[in-house]
Amino acid sequence: MSRFASGVVVLSVGGPDVHAMTANAFGSVSLDPPLVHCCVAHTAVMHTSLSSSRGFGVSILGADQEPIARYFADKARPLGRPQFDGVAWAPGPLTGAPLLAGALGWLECKLVESRPAGDHSLFLGEVLSSTTGEGDTALLFYAGRFERTAAPRS
C-alpha cells in the first residue's frame, strides 16, 4: 500500500474531549447521500474520541501544511485543548470540531456507522457541510513520506 498515494487530512472532534489526528486512510464513499470514511487504529486516542462522538471535522491539508500534518501525527503532543495552542483553527458551526486554518477544504460530518476492521475501525460519516479554501496544491502521503501535488496546468 506504500505505492498508493493518498491525500492527507486532519480529523477532529469537538466538545469536552476535543482531539485531532493526522490521517491518510480517508476517502469519499457516496455522493447521494454524501458519505466519507476514515480508518483509525483501535489504540489511537482518536478511536475513543470518534466512538463517543456524534460528529467530526475534516481539514483537507494543502501542500504547505506538512508541519501541521507532522504535529497532529506526533504522539508526544499534548492532549485535549492544549494540543491546539499555537494552531490557527475555528470550531465547525455544526459539530464544534476544530477546523484548521489554511486547509484546502473542510467537512463537517455526522457519524453514522462504525465497524471493526482488523486492528482499526472503519468510521462512516455523512457530510453535513463542505467548504473550500484557497490554494491548489495538495499534501500527499506516498512511500512512507509526505509529497506535494504539482500546481494545476492552466
Side-chain angles (χ1 to χ4, degrees):
M1 291 309 299
S2 71
R3 305 308 273 174
F4 180 73
S6 61
V8 181
V9 302
V10 171
L11 303 172
S12 58
V13 174
D17 297 318
V18 64
H19 187 65
M21 73 165 243
T22 300
N24 69 321
F26 173 84
S28 175
V29 174
S30 169
L31 294 176
D32 188 17
L35 299 172
V36 295
H37 73 84
C38 58
C39 296
V40 178
H42 294 153
T43 57
V45 172
M46 181 55 84
H47 191 278
T48 302
S49 297
L50 270 173
S51 296
S52 63
S53 175
R54 295 182 186 268
F56 61 96
V58 179
S59 298
I60 302 167
L61 299 187
D64 61 339
Q65 292 184 297
E66 182 178 340
I68 290 288
R70 289 188 179 283
Y71 175 74
F72 282 108
D74 185 352
K75 292 181 175 149
R77 76 181 182 285
L79 295 179
R81 181 79 62 197
Q83 74 187 287
F84 295 97
D85 291 351
V87 175
W89 65 278
L94 301 175
T95 63
L99 302 176
L100 305 181
L104 294 178
W106 303 271
L107 305 172
E108 286 190 272
C109 303
K110 173 177 78 173
L111 182 62
V112 294
E113 192 170 345
S114 169
R115 293 191 178 260
D119 60 357
H120 283 59
S121 285
L122 175 67
F123 292 93
L124 190 64
E126 181 177 354
V127 177
L128 302 173
S129 73
S130 61
T131 308
T132 57
E134 301 295 318
D136 57 4
T137 56
L139 186 63
L140 300 177
F141 196 72
Y142 177 74
R145 63 185 180 269
F146 290 106
E147 300 289 347
R148 291 156 184 77
T149 61
R153 297 175 200 181
S154 12

